[in-house]
Amino acid sequence: MGEYVVELRNVTKRFPGVVALHNMQLAVKPGEIHGLIGENGAGKSTLIKVLTGVHKADEGEIYVNGTKMEFKNPNESAAAGIACVYQELNIEKLLSVTDNIFINKWLKKGFLLDYDAMHKKAEEVMKSLGQDVDPRKAAGTLGMGVQQMIEIAKAVLIDAKMIIMDEPTSSLGEKEVEQLMHTCRELKSRGIGILFVSHKLEELFELCDRVTVIRDGEFIETRDIQDWNNDSLIAAMVGRTLENQFPKEFGTKGECMLKVENLSIGGVLNNVSFEAYGGEILGMSGLVGAGRTETVRAVFGADPIDGGKIYIKGQEANIKSPKQAIAAGIALLTEDRKGQGLVLAESIRTNLVLSSLKQHSAGLFLNEKRIEETGQGHIQTLRIKTPSIDEIVGQLSGGNQQKVVIGKWLNSEADIYIFDEPTRGIDVGAKVEVYNVMNSLVKAGKCVIMISSEMPEILGMSDRVVVMRGGRVMATVNRDSKHFNQEDIMKAAWGGSLDD
């Protein structure tokens, strides 16, 4: 057995027009939680796919427990003891917990599946991960945290030597994150190596033993966690210093762009009221399930309302569909960029004009010259990493996909921009670019509404904060208020009142 459970030596992977990895180095020890961080497009996804046998390295070597391996497919990687819990969970929601855990690894009694044995084993594995669930229940009826544990249970079942966790906390609530952290430490105590891929610096400092930084497809540095700090990690990752992670700029508060009055949806929203002004960022804060996304979907006409009124620039608006919302000057950057924000099989060029076809038309035909100019402008301004404007969006990294969504809505020339978790799953460098887009919008007199589950982001970028809980507005806090702090905003999110 070697010193490292998994080691990459000088691994290179090329695709047409781009070198995704160049002489990549990585070494994960048994019983180590090893952080991996890099900007979007740095090569993290390609590295994961090389390790899991999805892509074959063009050059270099992979070792598992000191033995050189060549993975031709994911089955060979799994057989060697490498498992991956992807950001987009690979769960069959209609199947039971047991079926998901044992899929393609069935236990049989004669010619029949031995469900008694599989249910028992599934229950044991889930309990070892801190989950007391009925293995006969459909996986889709369980929360995201439990579904993630099902994915980890699959890895435990194949006796994985190393588990790759790809942005594992991106869709989890606070308690689920705590459970995941506990599970990672438990797996570590069993001698399992964990490659923990995250953009959240605080998670790396809390959990990891060592951290490797990669940039532009190349290995930059590996250090023990105590030898890193926020500034050194960011500088290594982006190749430059970021003076301010939240570069807040103040616009001039203008007219009331959006007024929501007693918005209600049975069992979801209860008399939600707030105002949003031009020249400001209105933050929307609250715990998972507070009703923030449901509120903006209702405003955007994506979900029907039971009661309440919406006013755009003082005029009542009867918005029944997203098409009407766009016509009224509202842009919604959805939380689910892949399912609702993009057409993954189409090019960057096509996606950028989906919300603004009229502006990019010349009579009956699209103005290709204008589309090219606009697209190249967004690629440069938003720093979208791509070999070409004609690259298929599904081939881009998550952060670059998010930038395409932002570019699409910038083309709509809206007055009200709603950003739902705009920086989820993207790196700190890309986050600053998103914040600068918001700054430019408010300085141009636009209205920006930002839903975020990250309190530093809410405090760093908002002019006012609407705090929600259980489909209700619990408080509205101005930036100059004594309550504009994490403790008081969280107090309101948990249902407490804020005394003036």
Side-chain angles (χ1 to χ4, degrees):
M1 180 179 290
E3 178 185 0
Y4 301 111
V5 62
V6 170
E7 185 180 7
L8 296 185
R9 297 182 190 172
N10 304 316
V11 166
T12 295
K13 179 61 186 176
R14 302 181 185 87
F15 297 103
V18 63
V19 180
L21 297 176
H22 181 250
N23 290 337
M24 181 57 64
Q25 316 288 325
L26 180 72
V28 180
K29 299 175 182 178
E32 173 187 45
I33 302 178
H34 192 113
L36 177 68
I37 192 168
E39 285 193 277
N40 292 106
K44 299 186 301 296
S45 295
T46 304
L47 187 154
I48 290 170
K49 288 176 180 176
V50 167
L51 279 172
T52 55
V54 176
H55 295 325
K56 188 176 185 297
D58 296 318
E59 298 170 16
E61 300 165 336
I62 301 173
Y63 292 85
V64 178
N65 282 337
T67 302
K68 186 177 177 181
M69 310 293 289
E70 286 190 20
F71 302 138
K72 299 183 180 65
N73 55 58
N75 288 336
E76 291 186 0
S77 172
I82 298 176
C84 184
V85 178
Y86 289 100
Q87 185 176 0
E88 309 290 339
L89 296 179
N90 187 26
I91 292 290
E92 297 294 338
K93 295 183 184 296
L94 296 179
L95 296 181
S96 71
V97 174
T98 296
D99 286 327
N100 272 280
I101 291 175
F102 281 93
I103 198 162
N104 297 325
K105 301 181 291 289
W106 310 107
L107 301 182
K108 293 184 178 181
K109 185 185 290 182
F111 293 106
L112 302 176
L113 296 181
D114 190 351
Y115 266 103
D116 286 341
M118 287 192 292
H119 286 320
K120 183 179 179 182
K121 184 64 176 177
E123 188 171 13
E124 288 174 359
V125 173
M126 291 299 286
K127 277 186 176 177
S128 76
L129 299 174
Q131 302 295 322
D132 190 5
V133 297
D134 182 354
R136 296 165 182 79
K137 287 189 70 171
T141 64
L142 304 169
M144 287 297 296
V146 180
Q147 290 183 33
Q148 193 173 63
M149 291 301 165
I150 294 172
E151 289 280 271
I152 295 172
K154 295 182 190 178
V156 172
L157 194 72
I158 67 166
D159 196 24
K161 298 177 179 65
M162 184 180 82
I163 301 175
I164 303 166
M165 296 195 179
D166 182 16
E167 297 290 347
T169 66
S170 61
S171 300
L172 301 184
E174 189 175 346
K175 290 188 181 301
E176 293 169 324
V177 171
E178 288 178 8
Q179 176 61 56
L180 176 66
M181 296 281 189
H182 176 78
T183 299
C184 287
R185 294 185 181 102
E186 171 63 24
L187 294 170
K188 172 184 173 177
S189 72
R190 302 183 197 179
I192 297 172
I194 296 175
L195 184 62
F196 195 89
V197 184
S198 178
H199 288 117
K200 298 180 180 179
L201 302 187
E202 66 275 12
E203 291 179 355
L204 299 181
F205 285 110
E206 180 179 347
L207 194 63
C208 295
D209 301 298
R210 294 189 299 152
V211 173
T212 291
V213 178
I214 66 175
R215 183 173 73 235
D216 297 330
E218 298 196 5
F219 167 78
I220 299 300
E221 192 172 3
T222 298
R223 295 187 199 171
D224 291 342
I225 192 63
Q226 64 266 24
D227 295 332
W228 291 109
N229 58 39
N230 267 31
D231 291 342
S232 62
L233 260 180
I234 291 169
M237 182 169 61
V238 303
R240 62 191 188 279
T241 59
L242 296 179
E243 300 301 330
N244 187 352
Q245 284 183 253
F246 302 101
K248 173 67 177 170
E249 295 182 20
F250 295 91
T252 301
K253 187 174 180 180
E255 67 177 309
C256 181
M257 293 283 197
L258 173 68
K259 182 179 180 181
V260 173
E261 200 173 78
N262 298 320
L263 201 65
S264 296
I265 299 175
V268 179
L269 301 177
N270 193 328
N271 292 325
V272 172
S273 299
F274 64 88
E275 296 177 351
Y277 294 83
E280 76 164 5
I281 295 176
L282 178 68
M284 297 190 76
S285 184
L287 304 173
V288 173
R292 299 165 300 169
T293 295
E294 291 79 4
T295 297
V296 298
R297 281 180 57 85
V299 168
F300 196 64
D303 296 329
I305 63 174
D306 297 328
K309 295 180 179 180
I310 298 170
Y311 298 88
I312 308 291
K313 297 182 179 179
Q315 300 294 314
E316 186 174 350
N318 186 25
I319 297 173
K320 301 292 186 184
S321 69
K323 183 178 180 180
Q324 291 177 338
I326 294 169
I330 303 174
L332 172 61
L333 288 83
T334 59
E335 179 181 14
D336 179 7
R337 60 178 172 251
K338 290 188 176 181
Q340 300 170 357
L342 296 167
V343 181
L344 294 176
E346 292 292 340
S347 67
I348 296 173
R349 181 194 301 271
T350 298
N351 274 274
L352 283 172
V353 298
L354 286 176
S355 66
S356 55
L357 291 174
K358 284 188 178 179
Q359 293 96 308
H360 290 85
S361 299
L364 296 175
F365 302 97
L366 290 173
N367 186 332
E368 295 294 345
K369 182 179 179 182
R370 185 176 180 191
I371 291 172
E372 177 80 17
E373 290 174 352
T374 302
Q376 294 294 355
H378 285 318
I379 287 172
Q380 185 173 357
T381 303
L382 296 172
R383 296 179 66 207
I384 300 171
K385 292 184 179 178
T386 175
S388 153
I389 193 174
D390 294 308
E391 179 76 359
I392 300 302
V393 167
Q395 300 297 318
L396 301 177
S397 67
N400 286 302
Q401 289 177 1
Q402 182 77 322
K403 293 177 186 179
V404 174
V405 176
I406 292 171
K408 177 187 78 171
W409 285 115
L410 290 178
N411 284 340
S412 72
E413 299 179 355
D415 292 314
I416 301 163
Y417 287 84
I418 303 171
F419 290 74
D420 191 354
E421 302 286 4
T423 64
R424 174 171 287 171
I426 66 176
D427 61 76
V428 289
K431 284 181 180 182
V432 170
E433 290 157 14
V434 173
Y435 301 145
N436 283 330
V437 169
M438 293 182 184
N439 285 332
S440 67
L441 290 171
V442 297
K443 290 177 79 173
K446 307 290 188 180
C447 167
V448 173
I449 298 171
M450 177 185 69
I451 296 174
S452 177
S453 298
E454 295 190 23
M455 188 60 65
E457 186 169 80
I458 286 287
L459 295 172
M461 294 303 299
S462 302
D463 295 286
R464 289 185 303 124
V465 179
V466 170
V467 188
M468 295 188 67
R469 174 180 171 83
R472 299 173 183 266
V473 173
M474 304 304 295
T476 300
V477 184
N478 292 320
R479 192 176 186 90
D480 58 3
S481 165
K482 68 178 183 180
H483 299 303
F484 196 81
N485 58 70
Q486 180 165 336
E487 183 178 347
D488 283 354
I489 289 175
M490 286 305 297
K491 180 181 177 182
W494 282 104
S497 62
L498 301 183
D499 300 323
D500 291 329

